Amino acid sequence: MDDNEDLDYVEEDYYTTLNLPKTATQEEISKAYRNLSRIFHPDKHGNGENKQKAELMFNRTKKAYEVLSDPHQRAIYDSLGVKGLETEGWEIVHRTKTPSEIREEYERLAREREERRLQQKTNPRGNISVHINATDFFSRYDDEYYDSGILPSIEVSGMSMSQSIEAPLSRTEVATLSGSLHLQNGVGSGNFVLSGKRLINKGWFEVDCGAGNGPVLGAKGSRNLTNRIFLNGGTTFHFRPNAIIPGLSGTIAIQLDKHTLGYLTYNAGLQNSMSTVVERNTEKYHCNITATLGIPHCYISASYTRKLLEQGLKLRVALKGGTFGVLSECGAEKKVSKYSSVSATVCVGVPSGVTLKIKIIRSTQTYLFPIHLSEEIIPAAIFYATVTPLLTYFVLKKMLFDPMNEATKQKNIEKVKETNSARMAEKRKEAESAVALMGALYERILKEEQKLQGLVILSALYGRFKDGEHASLEESDDMGFIQSNPFVIDVKIALQCLVKDSQLVLYASSKSELPGFYDPCFGEEKQLKIDYEYKNNTYSSVFADLDAVHLPLVANEAS
């Protein structure tokens, strides 16, 4: 299910307004502005209705030129868009600053706004884990004194919950309150911890105090020793009725290369252990090898996670063995929306048996459901633990997630349309004004191209097409009557006016910002269909909205 995206006001694309690439030079920007000024300058259109249309288009063209011809404004626009130009605080920026200094200034202003927002947020984080015993499904408990019933029993054998909230005290200090509850086989326990963290030079320092099974006091910190080495360490004191149990922990980490880290960790106190970890993390995969010597257990483990970013999918396998036995894991995590993901992991081991772990992540909240299926390795339990999550996901996706995603998408499109309705109406008025002013230029370019047997636009349609071969300005309604197609517009005149030296070049951006264009189907995929004549031959081409266009294609192929 998709999370609601922030609805932004659709911004002007100044490059497309002048039909220029983002790499355009100052000379190309000036030339494009001069060419459009010859069409839209109000002084060229008398004092009638055409002059008002010309003023509308000339002001739009002039605004694009003013931003792109000014290196400072262009640097802001390239990095941050129109909103960057309108950001509060730019009045203190001197125009003598370089583009890189302008970007740094914006980032500083953005950090200040973010810090103000952080002051108002508590950043809540929570975890809920419910342990389920479903071993009765695959290994029924037979007892002559106990009636097991017709249906297998499912028990909740344990549950744990934890929650934390933060309170920023200053730019370098934050207080955190966290608590947890645990219940296992009818025996419960809980604790809470109040901590204060302060950022210091090249690291941080934290003091903790809490209560649970007796008071707890602790301190920990981190410091970068070099650019490649950092150290974490801490100590705790557990106060019991008859004793004080100290604890000590420390980790040294070394950056082995760009993607690889090595850790050496020592723990003493309630648990004693020494661990070595080598971890490698890239855009495509993550792998981890751990070796631990400790009391009561010693073990070695390895895991590998494959990241399929385009599919929003992670595949993971792991193997762990030691004095407690052997455990293997295989699972997948799927991103179902911007802030939500689900994962399923099958754990098979000796003596633990077969367990299916279902995890749901929603923003900063995590829900974990370990389901113990069998105490022994039973093929049926492994099969159902593997197949059931897959079938459940595909059924939910088809019957719940996809319909909700589509409904949310349409709702967001309608909201964006409403937010931008005034600008969409203005864009349509601008496009109609531009076409009305292009008449003389269109006739002149058309005659020149016909004389040279060059590029002549026979037909050009822009909008939403069901079938590019049958795109039309008209469509049939449910009763069979012909009516105007509201999702397609005629852009033949606008495109012919962009032809230069028998070539039409459009850059990789939405065509809706070109002079004479507007968006007839906001929020939906659009195409541009062009029928043209070149060297007495006719051709037809269909382009996606964001595709670059270079006509005639036959000239490109011949070269």
Side-chain angles (χ1 to χ4, degrees), residues 268-292:
L270 294 176
Q271 292 183 342
N272 297 304
S273 66
M274 174 72 78
S275 298
T276 301
V277 180
V278 178
E279 181 180 64
R280 183 169 178 82
N281 190 10
T282 70
E283 292 183 357
K284 294 184 178 181
Y285 67 88
H286 173 272
C287 59
N288 179 296
I289 299 176
T290 303
T292 298

Side-chain angles (χ1 to χ4, degrees), residues 474-486:
E474 298 178 338
E475 64 177 0
S476 301
D477 61 14
D478 295 337
M479 301 295 294
F481 295 103
I482 302 299
Q483 62 180 6
S484 175
N485 186 348

Side-chain angles (χ1 to χ4, degrees), residues 156 183 255 320 401 431 443 455 489 507:
V156 177
L183 179 66
Q255 185 88 37
K320 186 175 182 180
F401 295 154
E443 294 294 338
L455 180 61
I489 60 174
Y507 299 97

Side-chain angles (χ1 to χ4, degrees), residues 80-128:
L80 314 162
V82 175
K83 283 188 176 181
L85 296 169
E86 300 171 351
T87 298
E88 178 185 356
W90 279 119
E91 62 274 6
I92 66 174
V93 178
H94 297 293
R95 293 180 57 81
T96 55
K97 289 193 173 185
T98 65
S100 61
E101 290 174 329
I102 288 175
R103 292 189 185 95
E104 291 175 1
E105 185 68 24
Y106 175 84
E107 291 170 358
R108 184 189 67 78
L109 293 171
R111 284 196 300 270
E112 289 182 355
R113 292 195 304 274
E114 182 64 24
E115 287 165 1
R116 289 196 295 269
R117 284 195 290 265
L118 285 174
Q119 298 289 336
Q120 303 169 356
K121 292 184 178 180
T122 57
N123 192 25
R125 296 180 179 274
N127 294 274
I128 297 178

Side-chain angles (χ1 to χ4, degrees), residues 190-192 210-216:
N191 65 74
F192 78 90
N213 188 13
V216 178

